[in-house]
Amino acid sequence: MAKQTTPEKKVRVLVVEDEESFIDALTVGLGREGFAVEIARDGLQALAVVARESFDVILLDLMLPKMSGLDVCRAIRARSEVPIIIVSAKGEEVDMVLMLEIGADDYVTKPYRLRELVARIRAVLRRRESHEFVYDSDEQITHGPIRMDIEGRRCFVGDEEIKLRKKEFALLRLLLENPGRVLTREVLIDRVWGNDYVGDTKTLDVHIKRLRSHIEIDPKSPVHITTVRGVGYRFETTKS
Ligand code: CA
């Protein structure tokens, strides 16, 4: 595919992928969604491209020739904050906690639907932009119907104030400050409880459950705080 400068500012996606069928499908599919797609077919090529061009998001396959996706992720993260979405194949042994720790923003598993992938891409992009519009001031965080007044230690859903306990408040704040991002159980526990965390690992889940009962319309089918099985939780971004 010919490389060209686009007149309007398109979102630039670097697809790091070695399977031709995926390369073709992504080039066509993401192009149709309005993205400018660039391809790198192995890890070294990816690093070379990233060194000379800038991208809005990188889609990084895990199993690559010459250099693993994990090493590519680490190398890119060492010098850039560009959002990285890791792509793993079904059945591949993947340590998701490790991936998030080395700086990946999200991950998807093959086979995926293009629609799902595009939603993930838009979510990481929104998260990057969110710091520009989420904060009314340093003391307020707003997301969808949820508004937190940090200084006043108050929280509202729509016009209604909800009463949160101290840890619930801290937990919701952390989630809202990282919309669209998977926060691992370890990170949540460390940042909210630190050394205060006692008891079994259920404590976190109990707090999440309470938060959901406050902010979700149907706590059994949460749309704001979703569970990422085996990894942690994510505050979903909405287009509102
Ligand atoms: Ca591969």
Side-chain angles (χ1 to χ4, degrees), residues 19-210:
E19 278 174 69
E20 290 301 327
S21 60
F22 276 91
I23 290 172
D24 291 346
L26 288 171
T27 303
V28 173
L30 293 178
R32 199 178 286 147
E33 292 286 328
F35 297 104
V37 182
E38 183 100 8
I39 305 293
R41 285 181 165 77
D42 64 57
L44 292 177
Q45 204 187 341
L47 293 185
V49 174
V50 168
R52 64 166 195 265
E53 292 175 48
S54 70
F55 295 92
D56 298 297
V57 60
I58 295 177
L59 216 57
L60 178 61
D61 189 34
L62 213 47
M63 295 285 270
L64 288 166
K66 296 183 187 173
M67 193 175 178
S68 83
L70 285 184
D71 288 338
V72 175
C73 183
R74 276 195 198 95
I76 292 172
R77 214 19 111 240
R79 62 182 176 208
S80 165
E81 286 296 306
V82 59
I84 298 173
I85 300 175
I86 299 246
V87 180
S88 65
K90 200 178 176 183
E92 244 173 68
E93 198 143 313
V94 179
D95 185 340
M96 286 171 182
V97 174
L98 172 70
M99 288 198 310
L100 297 168
E101 273 172 6
I102 64 170
D105 291 78
D106 204 351
Y107 63 88
V108 290
T109 307
K110 287 176 184 172
Y112 49 75
R113 294 198 176 139
L114 184 69
R115 201 190 307 161
E116 184 199 348
L117 182 67
V118 168
R120 292 258 184 260
I121 291 173
R122 298 231 156 96
V124 295
L125 292 172
R126 272 200 301 278
R127 184 163 66 74
R128 286 302 154 121
E129 290 165 7
S130 67
H131 285 283
E132 288 158 24
F133 64 81
V134 163
Y135 296 91
D136 299 329
S137 71
D138 283 346
E139 293 80 29
Q140 294 239 346
I141 309 172
T142 305
H143 240 289
I146 301 160
R147 179 165 63 87
M148 295 186 88
D149 167 4
I150 302 302
E151 194 150 272
R153 256 223 73 218
R154 299 173 78 187
C155 182
F156 301 85
V157 177
D159 294 331
E160 197 183 331
E161 180 168 9
I162 55 171
K163 293 288 177 198
L164 296 178
R165 299 174 196 184
K166 200 175 161 198
K167 296 294 187 199
E168 291 165 5
F169 192 88
L171 188 57
L172 184 59
R173 178 183 178 179
L174 189 55
L175 287 162
L176 277 174
E177 283 177 340
N178 294 279
R181 172 166 227 170
V182 183
L183 294 176
T184 64
R185 300 179 60 86
E186 290 78 5
V187 164
L188 290 169
I189 289 169
D190 182 62
R191 298 270 294 276
V192 174
W193 284 270
N195 292 330
D196 294 343
Y197 196 83
V198 287
D200 58 35
T201 53
K202 288 273 178 276
T203 306
L204 172 62
D205 306 274
V206 170
H207 279 73
I208 292 284
K209 199 173 169 186
R210 282 210 215 105

